[in-house]
Amino acid sequence: MRSHFWNRSAALLAVAAMAACGGGDGGSSEAADDAGEATPAAAAVDPSTVGTISGMANFGGMVPTMEAIDMSAEAECAAGYGADGPMAQSVLVSEGGLANVFVYLSEGVSGAPAASGAATLDQVNCRYTPHVLGVQSGQDIEISNSDNLLHNINATPTENRGFNISQPRAGITSTQRFQVAEVMVPVRCDVHGWMQAYIGVVDHPYFAVTGADGSYSIANVPAGDYTLTAWHEEFGTQTANVTVTAGEMAVATFDYNAEMMGAEVPMGDALVLEHGTNRIRVERTQ
Amino acid sequence: MRVLRRGTLGTLGTLALGGFAILALSAAPPLSAQEDAAAAGKVVYDRWCAECHGETGQGDGSAAASMLPRPRDFTQALYQIRTTGSGQLPTDADIRFAIENGLPGTTMPGWPNLTDGEIDDLIVYLKSFSRFFGQGPAPEPLDFGSDPGGGPAAIEAGAAAYLTMLCEECHGLSGRGDGTSAPTLEDWRGLPIRAADLTEAWVLNGGSSVEDMHTRMLTGLDGTPMPSAIDAMNSGVVSPDEVWQLAHYLASLGPREMPPLREVIRVGRAEAGLPADGEEEAWAGVEAFYFPMSGQVVQLPRNFAPAVDGLWVQGLHDGSDIALRVQWNDPSNSPDPNWDEWQNKITAALDLDGAEPIALDSAGAPTARPPDAVLLQFPFEPPEGTDRPYFLMGDAREPVYLWTWDSETGVGAGRGRGLDSVEPLGEDPVTGEATWEEGRWTLYLRRSIEVESDGLDFAEGAPMPIAFQAWDGSSAEVGKRSSVSTWYYILLEPPASSTVVVTPLLAMLLTGAFGLVLVRRAQDRRRDG
């Protein structure tokens, strides 16, 4: 049952991650279709000038055990889980791949198409779907409630203005935006202390969130040299230098293991980026 | 520049120095009006605000660590009390509202000593702490619509809306801040924060009027778990009128203003016998006296963030026994493991002023869960004149008689010779019990009015000094970290017959008779004339 759930989650996450990529994944975004307009990024892309970055977040060694979440206070939510009940989501590993890593170009991007379409964040069985979401600054984030009970969506950025909205029934949708880049914006529900999501806000559409199998792909990246940063809520950040060649696929892989648990995790503050490969860096401004 | 802008002195100076001064000033690089006001605002800020809010506006002044909730961090521009949407900046009028009125329920007082001009300058300076101000258009208040009116039907509809909006998840069914989620609530800093006790509206930081409550529901309280209900309203979960009705319901949950302070608890004579416990219906007809409590800040370790902010006291006697009912709101029935996390967070968040923090075991659970407690104190010897023992449980020279209760050991009696020195009194004439329901303790105490073996005699008609202390266990309040009151009086009223009823009657009769005599005389005189 549990693995079934994870597979289902993974599918949702993958879809959401693809949707969140907006213009970056070549127009297959559901969110963009829902918005009823072609994404300008997709329309503007000249295939002879762009390439793709893809790769894996690999997890080696023992996988940390996730704690069970006590959802007994919300039977309606608890019923959505198998016999083992809901577990924490901070480290999700499947066949050596680490999910929920936010991967984005942190240096080298000059100019980017404006945000288009909407990213979506849902609340399903007292959890956020997806758990990690990437958006472009200025992009609409449509937040909905699939649970017929009270959630509040309390976003606490430091670079952006936050919000805290109640959704006491299923079917309510709130639309919010973050105006400037910020990795990451924590989102929580104060009614259900276990509910936690992270939104990565960047100035361009070149980002992705690793799926359940740990893979990611960022399409339509203009040829050039970039720094790619990978953020994870338990393991902090790593960077890799990548060179994108038009019409080709650049591969960047990030490696994780349990010993990285407890790394300082950048939140809110703008990162000071250094060049280097696959090192965890924890510096912040100020 | 500053002085000139303000008037008299500048005008005099200008007149005295004539054209030379004007030339000199115009030659200097002109400061913008904003910079000028910010500089003046800084003077006000440094003098009155910096001790709590910190010199750099980060809410980290020297007094901040002993406060919960913490002083506002102006650099984040997170303002709870606004008329603007969730996450939006406040208007200048919003900031002015908080400065003028203070934030009840917190350590932020109102500032009636500041002039309008000083507050204007201060607002400019406060905004200069955050880069969020000055970006984009000026913040605009939301459209709050108009109040369709109150009354019983509106209040009933509002009560239904309270449940529709699931307010009770945090605020509890009775509104006392005892909802299921209350023990886990945190502010934006990750510090523990109470769900507001809606039955004591005078400690709501945004004001206690229907309009205030309506505004807070639509704007939310930024930086706290209190969300904006605006999307729920716009989605039709509740109608705009129902949000107003909900505000009327909240305003009906208790007194909007702090009850007037009265020095004397009047203990009437119960002709039908004393209630046998704190639940009896008879108490509903007995006048209740409210006594505000504040943190014990005289002796170390002090308590600058007391959990219990007031007690309601009622009394009855039957000529031989006295019965008291003491009620106070406390969202936790300590000891309760559901509040472990809260207790740990309070312990970690507060400067305990030298008190030993409660240690945690290897699983992170506290090694002690203190009980809730309340204590009543009286002079040990009958008071002479206005002399009363030291209000913090007496001293070696003048001990106090204590009626004690805590949620683990129940009711007892003791002799206090200061906060450090309490000696239990074995032969225990005080009896009673306490019950906790939906965020409120009800403590019932009973004792003989006169007991041979001790010095505490409640003679009818003679006011007896009384003072209170209280502790909330789940807020890690133990020992000197308590809430205290000053001395008040408790007065057992004599039987109603002699003075209360008869004297006015006699006076009326005498006045009437005297009047009759006067009238008769006047009539006689006229007849004679």
Side-chain angles (χ1 to χ4, degrees), chain B residues 175-485:
Chain B
R176 299 194 188 103
D178 61 316
T180 318
S181 299
T184 61
L185 298 181
E186 294 178 353
D187 69 8
W188 69 279
R189 288 178 165 104
L191 299 176
I193 188 169
R194 292 271 187 212
D197 179 348
L198 302 167
T199 67
E200 294 188 347
W202 66 88
V203 291
L204 295 180
N205 57 0
S208 61
S209 72
V210 170
E211 292 73 22
D212 292 332
M213 299 204 197
H214 180 260
T215 300
R216 301 289 89 78
M217 286 190 282
L218 290 190
T219 64
L221 296 169
D222 285 359
T224 82
M226 172 68 189
S228 159
I230 202 153
D231 284 344
M233 185 180 83
N234 290 339
S235 303
V237 173
V238 284
S239 70
D241 278 1
E242 283 171 323
V243 180
W244 277 107
Q245 288 160 344
L246 177 47
H248 281 283
Y249 170 67
L250 299 182
S252 78
L253 290 176
R256 303 239 287 271
E257 306 294 330
M258 187 163 92
L261 189 58
R262 286 166 301 170
E263 293 283 320
V264 183
I265 304 165
R266 297 194 165 269
V267 178
R269 198 175 169 109
E271 301 302 342
L274 292 181
D277 58 39
E279 307 299 318
E280 266 194 34
E281 201 51 39
W283 287 112
V286 178
E287 190 175 12
F289 297 81
Y290 180 77
F291 299 101
M293 307 283 285
S294 49
Q296 190 289 112
V297 293
V298 177
Q299 297 182 20
L300 301 178
R302 297 163 296 180
N303 184 8
F304 290 99
V308 180
D309 58 10
L311 305 173
W312 293 91
V313 183
Q314 294 164 284
L316 284 171
H317 76 97
D318 63 2
S320 63
D321 278 15
I322 177 173
L324 294 181
R325 184 167 85 155
V326 184
Q327 292 186 301
W328 68 100
N329 292 356
D330 177 348
S332 58
N333 178 357
S334 310
D336 177 355
N338 284 328
W339 287 80
D340 280 358
E341 202 188 328
W342 175 271
Q343 181 180 313
N344 293 348
K345 282 191 263 189
I346 290 274
T347 305
L350 277 180
D351 175 355
L352 297 179
D353 200 32
E356 194 65 35
I358 295 168
L360 306 184
D361 65 19
S362 57
T367 52
R369 295 187 185 103
D372 292 332
V374 149
L375 170 155
L376 282 64
Q377 63 182 39
F378 309 92
F380 209 83
E381 301 296 334
E384 292 171 16
T386 56
D387 179 46
R388 291 170 298 192
Y390 187 49
F391 79 108
L392 295 177
M393 287 162 65
D395 54 23
R397 190 174 53 86
E398 279 188 280
V400 293
Y401 192 99
L402 304 173
W403 292 0
T404 61
W405 167 85
D406 72 57
S407 54
E408 278 178 345
T409 62
V411 171
R415 181 192 287 116
R417 290 190 171 89
L419 291 175
D420 287 326
S421 172
V422 177
E423 170 195 349
L425 293 175
E427 291 291 311
D428 209 64
V430 188
T431 60
E433 61 184 359
T435 53
W436 183 93
E437 193 180 6
E438 289 185 0
R440 180 171 64 183
W441 279 109
T442 297
L443 170 63
Y444 173 83
L445 294 166
R446 180 168 181 155
R447 204 198 74 142
S448 295
I449 286 175
E450 195 175 340
V451 177
E452 290 276 329
S453 59
D454 63 48
L456 184 64
D457 294 330
F458 293 95
E460 287 180 20
M464 169 72 81
I466 183 171
F468 307 95
Q469 264 192 87
W471 293 258
D472 173 28
S474 66
S475 293
E477 289 184 338
V478 287
K480 294 181 181 177
R481 299 194 63 258
S482 64
S483 296
V484 298
S485 82

Side-chain angles (χ1 to χ4, degrees), chain A residues 13 31 37 58 74 87 132 139 144 183 189 208 216 239 252 286:
Chain A
L13 282 170
E37 54 187 350
N58 293 319
E74 297 287 11
M87 312 291 276
V132 175
Q139 186 177 5
S144 52
V183 179
C189 172
Y216 74 93
T239 59
Q286 293 173 347

